Amino acid sequence: MAGKPKLHYTKGRGKMESIRWLLAAAGVEFEEEFIETKEDLEKLRNDGVLMFQQVPMVEIDGMKMVQTRAVLSYIAAKYNLYGKDLKERAWIDMYVEGTTDLMGMIMYLPFQPADTKENNLALIIERDGASIQQSHGHDYLVGNKLSWADIHLLEAILMAEECKPDILSAFPLLQAFKGRMSNIPTIKKFLQPGSQRKPPADEKFIAVVRKIFNI
């Protein structure tokens, strides 16, 4: 029997957080080996376990997987969160790609001037929220069954609310979606204090990341 997946990354969210979310929602226990110094990262690179010399890296099913999208696709397919056919998979991919763009924009907000942050966030949510609301009227985004798309969107919604708590006030369908998804037992567990979910980055953590990745 294969052991638990092992995740190699920093102690923060970054590109690994969506992988944590997907594994947790699938009910899969995982271990983490944190990269805390530049030397930790160099050791992985020197050991030859990082294709393209990049993290996140996930050890799963005898593989050492890199490239976030590849890891997420594998996990989604393995745990039946990737639709029942090619058309459903295409819809899931569209939602995931759009949501990934949204999360990327949110991640960059801390680096923007304070007086433009809130306006930019509002514009992001207004555009993407309206689009998502109009495209579905079911409990789940695709195939009326929990998929990677639902999990990814919930992660994005919670990220947005951390920046602006009332961000969903104009989107009742998204509010209802958030409530349903947050009460799925595996997700509810991941949202509890003490889980492997990581907090938003603070200045101290950003300084550590800059040192590790020399940025």
Side-chain angles (χ1 to χ4, degrees), residues 88 128 213:
E88 286 194 358
D128 292 288
F213 295 102

Side-chain angles (χ1 to χ4, degrees), residues 19 21 26 28 40 43-44 61 63-64 68 72 86 106 128 132 138 146 151 154 165 177 181 187 194 204-205:
I19 296 169
W21 265 91
V28 179
D40 291 340
K43 184 178 186 309
L44 285 173
D61 295 342
M63 297 183 289
K64 291 179 170 65
T68 308
L72 287 165
L86 280 174
I106 293 172
D128 292 288
I132 291 166
H138 303 289
L146 181 68
I151 298 157
L154 178 61
F177 173 86
M181 294 302 110
I187 294 175
K204 184 178 177 182
F205 178 72

